[in-house]
Amino acid sequence: MKLTIGNVHVKDVQLGDANSFENGILTIDKQAAIDYLMGEDDHITELDIVIAHPGDDTRIVPVIETIEPRVRMDGRCLFPGVTGEVVPCGDGELKAFKDCCITVVGKEWGSFGDGVIDMGGEGAKHTRWSELINICLVGDTDEEFEWHEQQKKNHAMRWAGHRFAEWLGQVAKDVEPDDTEVYEFDPVLKRDDKRNALPNVAIVMQPQSQMEALGYNDLWYGWDMNRYLPTFVSPTEVFDGAMISGSFMPASSKWSTYEMQNFPTIKELFKYDGIEYNFVGVIMSNLNVSLEQKERSCVIACNIAQNLGVDYAIVTEEGYGNPDADYVRMQVIFEDAGIPVVGISNESDGRDGCGQPLVTLDEKMNALVSTGNVGELTILPACKTVIGNLEAMNRDGMSGSWGYDEVLGKSARDDGSIIMEDNNWFCGDHISGACLKTMVEV
C-alpha cells in the first residue's frame, strides 16, 4: 500500500465570505460552514467558529476533539463509516492543511474526557496544540439526556468536527503542496532478502474501547472498538482516517483523531524501515473491562505477532487505570513468547509523584517510556480570552478538575485563574509519540 500526503502549510486562518487559500492564508466562509454543519445534524442548536493563534492569551475549554483538515484526491470520504460509506483506507493520495487543526469545543457542557488548551503563557508548554492555529468549532446541542452526565458521547459535536475537517479540506484540492510525505507499506510476505534479513518490528496499539455501551469508544472504519478483536493492519490505514477518537478517557491520555492521522511513533518506525529493521506493521488491539476479555485480546495479538515473525515490539495504550492491566499483560505475554517489548504510556503516581505509576506492574517490563504523570498539579493565571465555558471545569466532572476541594478550592476560580491536575490538558501526555516532556532525575 502506498499513501501520499501532500502537505499545504498554513501561515494564518481568517474568517470571510468565501473559502480560499492564497499566499499561505486559509480563508473560511464562516456562515457557509455553519449552515452546512447545522443542516447535517438538527441536534446542533448553536454553532460558532473562532480562531485561536499560537501565543494568544486564550484558554480553550472544554475541548472535545482535534482533527486535521484533509481531502482525498479520488473523492472518497475522509472518515469511512463516519462521514460517508465504508471504503478502503491506506492507499492513494491525500492533501492536508498543516500547522492548523479543527478544535471541537463545548459552548456549555463539558465531559470526563474533555480537556483544556492554553494558547499562550506558561500553560502553552503542556500541549502541542498551542503550536497550531486552532480553528475552534464551538457549539451546543439538544442532547439533554447527557447534559448532566459526567461521561458524554458528544456525538453531534464530534461528528460535526469530522464533517468540518472534510468540508474545509476540499479547499486544498487544487493547491500545490509545499512538501509531500510518502508511506509505502509493502506486502509482508513479498519483501526482498535484504529486508527479510533485518529484525522484524511491529507496534501494538491499544485504542480506547472500555465502554460496553456503544457510542463512547474509538471507531475503526466506523465500527465501535468495544466489539473489536485484535487484527493485523497496515500503518497507512491509521494515517488515512480508518480510526477516529472516542469521547471516553481522561483528557491527557487520549489519542485525538489528529494524533491518529499523524501518529508520530508510526512515522518514526517508517523512518528507519528497511535500514535498521523490517517494519511489519500494526497489530491493532483494544482495551477491555473483564479479565477474560483482556486475556483473549492479548493471546490473539501475541499469536499474530508470532505468525508474522515479530522479533521486537512496541506496545502503547490510550489511557491509564483499568487499561494498565491490558497494557501490562500485553507486554508480559510478548516477553514470555521471546519478543522483547518497549512500552509507551503515561503514569498516575499522584500529586506528589510517589505513588505506583501503573495499576499493575511486572518485573518483565524492563523498557518503559513515560509520557508524564497525570496527577501533577498546575496553577495558572487567568487568560484574557476564554473560548468555550470555563465553569465546565467546576461543574461537569472533567478529569483533573473539580468543583470543590477543602484545601485547594475549586478548579476554575472566580478571578479566572485555574488549578488542576495535568490530567486535564487535552491529549497533554501525547502518548502517540508527540510528547513535549522530558524526565528529570532529582
Side-chain angles (χ1 to χ4, degrees):
M1 303 179 83
K2 181 179 179 180
L3 184 67
T4 302
I5 306 174
N7 294 323
V8 179
H9 291 276
V10 177
K11 297 177 182 177
D12 196 11
V13 179
Q14 300 176 354
L15 301 176
D17 55 11
N19 287 342
S20 66
F21 184 82
E22 188 173 356
N23 298 324
I25 299 174
L26 174 61
T27 302
I28 303 170
D29 186 335
K30 176 177 175 177
Q31 193 57 53
I34 291 172
D35 290 346
Y36 164 67
L37 295 170
M38 294 191 73
E40 287 291 307
D41 193 334
D42 57 13
H43 288 292
I44 300 174
T45 56
E46 293 184 62
L47 209 57
D48 194 11
I49 299 171
V50 183
I51 311 301
H53 294 86
D56 287 352
D57 189 13
T58 296
R59 181 163 290 143
I60 311 171
V61 55
V63 179
I64 297 169
E65 167 74 297
T66 58
I67 313 136
E68 185 168 82
R70 292 179 170 187
V71 61
R72 286 176 181 262
M73 298 305 289
D74 59 9
R76 289 181 292 169
C77 69
L78 200 59
F79 301 105
V82 177
T83 58
E85 298 297 321
V86 176
V87 294
C89 282
D91 192 75
E93 185 180 355
L94 294 167
K95 285 185 182 176
F97 279 128
K98 309 302 288 188
D99 310 311
C100 66
C101 63
I102 304 297
T103 303
V104 183
V105 186
K107 180 179 183 295
E108 185 64 27
W109 307 102
S111 179
F112 176 68
D114 300 345
V116 178
I117 296 171
D118 273 11
M119 297 301 297
E122 186 70 11
K125 73 179 185 182
H126 288 275
T127 77
R128 71 171 307 243
W129 313 116
S130 63
E131 301 173 352
L132 306 177
I133 301 170
N134 284 239
I135 306 167
C136 298
L137 187 65
V138 188
D140 202 0
T141 76
D142 66 0
E143 296 164 319
E144 298 181 34
F145 66 95
E146 62 181 15
W147 279 357
H148 303 288
E149 295 291 333
Q150 184 186 32
Q151 184 62 54
K152 298 175 177 62
K153 296 180 182 179
N154 284 325
H155 182 274
M157 286 302 299
R158 286 197 296 127
W159 255 237
H162 294 99
R163 292 190 183 105
F164 188 27
E166 185 174 76
W167 182 85
L168 186 58
Q170 294 288 330
V171 180
K173 194 164 189 178
D174 297 322
V175 178
E176 188 69 23
D178 297 296
D179 56 75
T180 301
E181 300 174 50
V182 180
Y183 299 99
E184 292 192 60
F185 188 70
D186 299 328
V188 176
L189 297 179
K190 294 186 177 180
R191 297 184 176 179
D192 59 32
D193 292 341
K194 180 181 177 182
R195 290 283 295 278
N196 289 331
L198 296 170
N200 295 326
V201 175
I203 180 170
V204 181
M205 295 177 62
Q206 296 179 300
Q208 189 50 236
S209 55
Q210 284 182 277
M211 291 292 282
E212 294 182 347
L214 304 184
Y216 299 92
N217 301 303
D218 294 352
L219 301 181
W220 182 254
Y221 285 93
W223 183 260
D224 193 297
M225 295 194 76
N226 185 262
R227 302 294 190 263
Y228 185 86
L229 286 173
T231 307
F232 166 76
V233 305
S234 167
T236 59
E237 290 176 273
V238 179
F239 291 158
D240 194 19
M243 186 163 65
I244 69 166
S245 179
S247 67
F248 178 72
M249 191 29 60
S252 72
S253 306
K254 291 175 70 169
W255 296 335
S256 75
T257 297
Y258 182 102
E259 291 192 291
M260 294 168 183
Q261 291 171 299
N262 295 277
F263 213 84
T265 302
I266 296 179
K267 287 189 175 183
E268 192 72 8
L269 285 167
F270 267 114
K271 187 175 179 180
Y272 298 100
D273 180 31
I275 302 170
E276 295 185 4
Y277 47 74
N278 184 26
F279 181 28
V280 296
V282 177
I283 300 173
M284 187 66 70
S285 188
N286 53 356
L287 295 165
N288 298 296
V289 177
S290 75
L291 288 174
E292 180 184 348
Q293 291 172 329
K294 295 175 189 293
E295 186 67 18
R296 181 183 297 112
S297 290
C298 291
V299 167
I300 293 171
C302 188
N303 285 346
I304 292 171
Q306 289 178 293
N307 282 289
L308 284 172
V310 172
D311 297 304
Y312 300 94
I314 294 171
V315 173
T316 182
E317 66 170 336
E318 181 189 8
Y320 72 94
N322 187 295
D324 290 345
D326 308 67
Y327 173 65
V328 170
R329 180 58 184 142
M330 188 71 75
Q331 293 181 65
V332 170
I333 199 170
F334 270 59
E335 292 281 355
D336 285 344
I339 303 171
V341 172
V342 173
I344 305 174
S345 75
N346 59 7
E347 55 187 288
S348 178
D349 37 13
R351 294 175 181 175
D352 61 2
C354 295
Q356 180 170 303
L358 302 173
V359 166
T360 182
L361 292 167
D362 192 288
E363 61 184 9
K364 294 175 183 176
M365 300 164 62
N366 55 17
L368 296 176
V369 177
S370 170
T371 62
N373 171 26
V374 302
E376 187 174 337
L377 278 176
T378 300
I379 303 173
L380 292 168
C383 289
K384 180 180 179 181
T385 302
V386 173
I387 298 175
N389 182 1
L390 192 64
E391 184 59 28
M393 295 178 66
N394 296 335
R395 184 193 59 221
D396 297 330
M398 293 171 60
S399 54
S401 59
W402 51 87
Y404 172 78
D405 183 283
E406 62 182 12
V407 176
L408 302 175
K410 56 187 179 181
S411 282
R413 296 164 170 171
D414 294 339
D415 63 358
S417 64
I418 62 172
I419 180 170
M420 67 180 198
E421 294 178 346
D422 279 18
N423 219 348
N424 218 24
W425 293 112
F426 184 74
C427 298
D429 293 326
H430 296 296
I431 304 171
S432 62
C435 189
L436 307 175
K437 303 173 184 177
T438 57
M439 190 73 73
V440 177
E441 186 175 347
V442 293

